PDB file of all heavy atoms in Angstrom:
ATOM      1  N   GLU A1229      -7.139  55.024 126.053  1.00  0.00           N
ATOM      2  CA  GLU A1229      -5.765  55.315 126.460  1.00  0.00           C
ATOM      3  C   GLU A1229      -4.745  54.560 125.613  1.00  0.00           C
ATOM      4  O   GLU A1229      -3.635  55.053 125.378  1.00  0.00           O
ATOM      5  CB  GLU A1229      -5.581  54.975 127.943  1.00  0.00           C
ATOM      6  CG  GLU A1229      -6.411  55.852 128.869  1.00  0.00           C
ATOM      7  CD  GLU A1229      -6.049  55.659 130.322  1.00  0.00           C
ATOM      8  OE1 GLU A1229      -5.041  54.947 130.605  1.00  0.00           O
ATOM      9  OE2 GLU A1229      -6.740  56.219 131.192  1.00  0.00           O
ATOM     10  N   GLU A1230      -5.093  53.371 125.155  1.00  0.00           N
ATOM     11  CA  GLU A1230      -4.170  52.602 124.307  1.00  0.00           C
ATOM     12  C   GLU A1230      -4.270  53.096 122.866  1.00  0.00           C
ATOM     13  O   GLU A1230      -5.365  53.153 122.301  1.00  0.00           O
ATOM     14  CB  GLU A1230      -4.503  51.114 124.363  1.00  0.00           C
ATOM     15  CG  GLU A1230      -4.195  50.462 125.694  1.00  0.00           C
ATOM     16  CD  GLU A1230      -2.709  50.520 126.025  1.00  0.00           C
ATOM     17  OE1 GLU A1230      -1.891  50.275 125.108  1.00  0.00           O
ATOM     18  OE2 GLU A1230      -2.373  50.811 127.186  1.00  0.00           O
ATOM     19  N   PRO A1231      -3.140  53.455 122.235  1.00  0.00           N
ATOM     20  CA  PRO A1231      -3.203  53.951 120.851  1.00  0.00           C
ATOM     21  C   PRO A1231      -3.528  52.836 119.865  1.00  0.00           C
ATOM     22  O   PRO A1231      -3.191  51.670 120.093  1.00  0.00           O
ATOM     23  CB  PRO A1231      -1.795  54.508 120.618  1.00  0.00           C
ATOM     24  CG  PRO A1231      -0.925  53.740 121.552  1.00  0.00           C
ATOM     25  CD  PRO A1231      -1.768  53.452 122.762  1.00  0.00           C
ATOM     26  N   VAL A1232      -4.183  53.191 118.773  1.00  0.00           N
ATOM     27  CA  VAL A1232      -4.458  52.211 117.705  1.00  0.00           C
ATOM     28  C   VAL A1232      -3.277  52.136 116.749  1.00  0.00           C
ATOM     29  O   VAL A1232      -3.153  51.183 115.970  1.00  0.00           O
ATOM     30  CB  VAL A1232      -5.741  52.586 116.934  1.00  0.00           C
ATOM     31  CG1 VAL A1232      -6.941  52.482 117.846  1.00  0.00           C
ATOM     32  CG2 VAL A1232      -5.648  53.979 116.336  1.00  0.00           C
ATOM     33  N   ALA A1233      -2.399  53.136 116.776  1.00  0.00           N
ATOM     34  CA  ALA A1233      -1.184  53.123 115.946  1.00  0.00           C
ATOM     35  C   ALA A1233      -0.165  54.040 116.602  1.00  0.00           C
ATOM     36  O   ALA A1233      -0.524  55.058 117.195  1.00  0.00           O
ATOM     37  CB  ALA A1233      -1.480  53.603 114.536  1.00  0.00           C
ATOM     38  N   SER A1234       1.110  53.662 116.504  1.00  0.00           N
ATOM     39  CA  SER A1234       2.169  54.470 117.102  1.00  0.00           C
ATOM     40  C   SER A1234       3.341  54.559 116.141  1.00  0.00           C
ATOM     41  O   SER A1234       3.829  53.536 115.644  1.00  0.00           O
ATOM     42  CB  SER A1234       2.626  53.846 118.430  1.00  0.00           C
ATOM     43  OG  SER A1234       3.673  54.603 118.998  1.00  0.00           O
ATOM     44  N   ALA A1235       3.774  55.780 115.862  1.00  0.00           N
ATOM     45  CA  ALA A1235       4.908  56.019 114.970  1.00  0.00           C
ATOM     46  C   ALA A1235       5.911  56.923 115.670  1.00  0.00           C
ATOM     47  O   ALA A1235       5.725  57.314 116.827  1.00  0.00           O
ATOM     48  CB  ALA A1235       4.428  56.647 113.657  1.00  0.00           C
ATOM     49  N   SER A1236       6.984  57.247 114.956  1.00  0.00           N
ATOM     50  CA  SER A1236       8.070  57.987 115.592  1.00  0.00           C
ATOM     51  C   SER A1236       7.718  59.440 115.862  1.00  0.00           C
ATOM     52  O   SER A1236       8.235  60.037 116.801  1.00  0.00           O
ATOM     53  CB  SER A1236       9.317  57.920 114.708  1.00  0.00           C
ATOM     54  OG  SER A1236       9.018  58.382 113.402  1.00  0.00           O
ATOM     55  N   ILE A1237       6.827  60.036 115.064  1.00  0.00           N
ATOM     56  CA  ILE A1237       6.474  61.434 115.269  1.00  0.00           C
ATOM     57  C   ILE A1237       5.220  61.583 116.124  1.00  0.00           C
ATOM     58  O   ILE A1237       5.094  62.530 116.895  1.00  0.00           O
ATOM     59  CB  ILE A1237       6.294  62.149 113.915  1.00  0.00           C
ATOM     60  CG1 ILE A1237       7.669  62.370 113.286  1.00  0.00           C
ATOM     61  CG2 ILE A1237       5.558  63.465 114.049  1.00  0.00           C
ATOM     62  CD1 ILE A1237       7.659  63.131 111.986  1.00  0.00           C
ATOM     63  N   GLY A1238       4.298  60.649 116.007  1.00  0.00           N
ATOM     64  CA  GLY A1238       3.073  60.762 116.796  1.00  0.00           C
ATOM     65  C   GLY A1238       2.362  59.430 116.892  1.00  0.00           C
ATOM     66  O   GLY A1238       2.789  58.423 116.312  1.00  0.00           O
ATOM     67  N   GLN A1239       1.254  59.413 117.640  1.00  0.00           N
ATOM     68  CA  GLN A1239       0.447  58.207 117.747  1.00  0.00           C
ATOM     69  C   GLN A1239      -1.032  58.581 117.693  1.00  0.00           C
ATOM     70  O   GLN A1239      -1.402  59.727 117.944  1.00  0.00           O
ATOM     71  CB  GLN A1239       0.769  57.427 119.016  1.00  0.00           C
ATOM     72  CG  GLN A1239       0.500  58.143 120.313  1.00  0.00           C
ATOM     73  CD  GLN A1239       1.086  57.383 121.507  1.00  0.00           C
ATOM     74  OE1 GLN A1239       2.158  56.782 121.413  1.00  0.00           O
ATOM     75  NE2 GLN A1239       0.384  57.410 122.631  1.00  0.00           N
ATOM     76  N   VAL A1240      -1.846  57.591 117.335  1.00  0.00           N
ATOM     77  CA  VAL A1240      -3.265  57.834 117.086  1.00  0.00           C
ATOM     78  C   VAL A1240      -4.107  57.114 118.142  1.00  0.00           C
ATOM     79  O   VAL A1240      -3.891  55.924 118.412  1.00  0.00           O
ATOM     80  CB  VAL A1240      -3.660  57.363 115.671  1.00  0.00           C
ATOM     81  CG1 VAL A1240      -5.149  57.608 115.435  1.00  0.00           C
ATOM     82  CG2 VAL A1240      -2.816  58.070 114.621  1.00  0.00           C
ATOM     83  N   HIS A1241      -5.076  57.848 118.699  1.00  0.00           N
ATOM     84  CA  HIS A1241      -6.010  57.281 119.690  1.00  0.00           C
ATOM     85  C   HIS A1241      -7.424  57.388 119.153  1.00  0.00           C
ATOM     86  O   HIS A1241      -7.783  58.373 118.506  1.00  0.00           O
ATOM     87  CB  HIS A1241      -5.913  58.041 121.018  1.00  0.00           C
ATOM     88  CG  HIS A1241      -4.618  57.835 121.735  1.00  0.00           C
ATOM     89  ND1 HIS A1241      -4.484  56.981 122.803  1.00  0.00           N
ATOM     90  CD2 HIS A1241      -3.386  58.384 121.527  1.00  0.00           C
ATOM     91  CE1 HIS A1241      -3.231  57.016 123.229  1.00  0.00           C
ATOM     92  NE2 HIS A1241      -2.546  57.868 122.465  1.00  0.00           N
TER      93      HIS A1241
END
Side-chain angles (χ1 to χ4, degrees):
E1229 295 189 8
E1230 290 298 317
V1232 294
S1234 179
S1236 55
I1237 286 183
Q1239 62 190 36
V1240 179
H1241 292 258

